[in-house]
Amino acid sequence: MGGGGWLRLLLSLGHLWAPGLRERVLGTLGKATRLRIPLELQQLSLSFGEATWKRDTGDPRRKEVLLRYAGGRPHNYLQGRAQFHSRDFSLELLNTSRQDGQLYEYATSRGQQEEVWQIQLEVYEPVSQPSIEVLSRAPANGSCSLTLNCSARGDSVSYGWACTPPGLCTPPGLCSPRGSLLHLSYPQHNSSLSCSCRATNPVSSLRVSFSASSCAQEPAGRQQQDPCLTPPEDSVGHTIYSQVQRPEKQRGLPPAKLPSCTTIYAAATGQPLATALPPRSPSKEPTTVYASVMLPKA
């Protein structure tokens, strides 16, 4: 390259690397991060034959030298922690740590001429798999009101929500996300609502989904059946009577009309003891065990 060509190249580089101009690079905690320089600076390094990678130490009077390149041979001061790629003069940090988040400087020179490229490395922990928690759920005026909270670990995490079908919320403004929280109001009879939360930071993004099946909470406990009713044909029941007693006839009073059934339940589920039950038949008829039967007094 002639003298005029070198002059034009140096002038263009001087405009490109103006004072205070630096590149911003994002690194992922625990992963490799590669610091690159522009093509023009690579060509200049090949011509000059010398280059240096440095980084700040926090002390304005000192810089840490990471690598020196001279005579076509690199000298790596970060053996096992960084790798130099002579093809493009890039420096690769093999296992990025938080301490690596510094200002890096690449300089190439020949004699009194030096060109510098600065890189500000920012290190982030990637987001973990997010989760959705139901903070509140309540029916009101034919609608269901929900408050969901999305959470994930990581640095500088932001959250975004999306629900389908889009026009389900009534009015649509009630599908209102506020950061990790989402407030919903939708028709109580509609169970097709599905929402997804995306957790994002500068180096990663993950999503989790939530489907609304019912607004009301499932009732606690178990329901009791009227013993006078016939169980459905497709059910197999075991009924244990704690006490069955006829009402006592009092002297001098007309006989009272006996109720059709007087039953107190002790339990409605569970496998009865083998000693108290005959072998179970393959039919679906209920099995009844009497704990005690009291006869009326004479």
Side-chain angles (χ1 to χ4, degrees):
M1 180 181 294
W6 278 115
L7 180 60
R8 287 192 298 272
L9 176 59
L10 293 176
L11 289 175
S12 63
L13 291 174
H15 174 73
L16 180 60
W17 298 297
L21 183 63
R22 62 185 62 171
E23 181 186 8
R24 176 172 172 255
V25 171
L26 305 179
T28 302
L29 185 66
K31 296 186 177 181
T33 303
R34 197 158 175 174
L35 308 177
R36 304 176 184 272
I37 61 173
L39 179 60
E40 293 84 355
L41 198 55
Q42 297 175 31
Q43 296 173 349
L44 202 60
S45 301
L46 286 172
S47 301
F48 288 168
E50 291 185 2
T52 307
W53 274 104
K54 306 174 186 178
R55 71 178 169 190
D56 281 359
T57 62
D59 186 343
R61 300 172 301 174
R62 296 184 178 90
K63 289 186 179 181
E64 180 185 4
V65 178
L66 308 177
L67 180 134
R68 291 189 187 276
Y69 179 85
R73 299 181 63 180
H75 182 76
N76 189 355
Y77 295 98
L78 293 178
Q79 287 291 343
R81 292 185 293 159
Q83 182 178 356
F84 177 71
H85 298 272
S86 57
R87 177 181 297 179
D88 59 359
F89 293 89
S90 63
L91 185 69
E92 183 179 11
L93 306 176
L94 300 179
N95 187 11
T96 307
S97 65
R98 293 195 183 276
Q99 290 72 25
D100 291 329
Q102 301 289 342
L103 177 63
Y104 291 77
E105 183 179 283
Y106 179 87
T108 182
S109 63
R110 184 178 66 176
Q112 296 179 340
Q113 187 70 47
E114 182 178 71
E115 299 294 337
V116 177
W117 180 258
Q118 291 183 329
I119 298 175
Q120 179 64 57
L121 175 61
E122 299 177 5
V123 180
Y124 293 88
E125 179 186 359
V127 298
S128 64
Q129 179 62 43
S131 61
I132 295 178
E133 179 186 6
V134 180
L135 297 183
S136 65
R137 183 199 320 247
N141 299 325
S143 296
C144 182
S145 296
L146 273 178
T147 300
L148 307 177
N149 181 53
C150 185
S151 60
R153 297 187 308 275
D155 294 328
S156 304
V157 182
S158 60
Y159 300 92
W161 290 90
C163 294
T164 56
L168 185 60
C169 293
T170 53
L174 291 181
C175 281
S176 56
R178 293 182 181 178
S180 64
L181 295 178
L182 177 66
H183 304 283
L184 295 170
S185 181
Y186 62 95
Q188 192 171 347
H189 64 273
N190 196 315
S191 61
S192 61
L193 178 67
S194 177
C195 295
S196 64
C197 167
R198 182 176 292 276
T200 306
N201 74 353
V203 297
S204 60
S205 178
L206 289 173
R207 187 179 65 176
V208 65
S209 298
F210 170 86
S211 296
S213 57
S214 175
C215 187
Q217 298 287 352
E218 293 296 328
R222 56 177 176 259
Q223 297 178 347
Q224 291 184 345
Q225 245 184 351
D226 188 343
C228 299
L229 297 178
T230 304
E233 293 183 358
D234 59 348
S235 65
V236 177
H238 299 287
T239 305
I240 301 176
Y241 289 86
S242 174
Q243 183 178 2
V244 178
Q245 180 179 0
R246 294 184 181 275
E248 187 175 336
K249 182 178 179 181
Q250 299 183 11
R251 297 178 179 179
L253 294 177
K257 184 178 180 181
L258 297 179
S260 58
C261 185
T262 303
T263 306
I264 300 176
Y265 276 85
T269 62
Q271 180 67 32
L273 296 177
T275 56
L277 287 178
R280 189 173 178 178
S281 63
S283 65
K284 296 184 179 180
E285 294 298 327
T287 304
T288 304
V289 178
Y290 292 89
S292 63
V293 178
M294 300 179 63
L295 297 177
K297 295 182 181 181

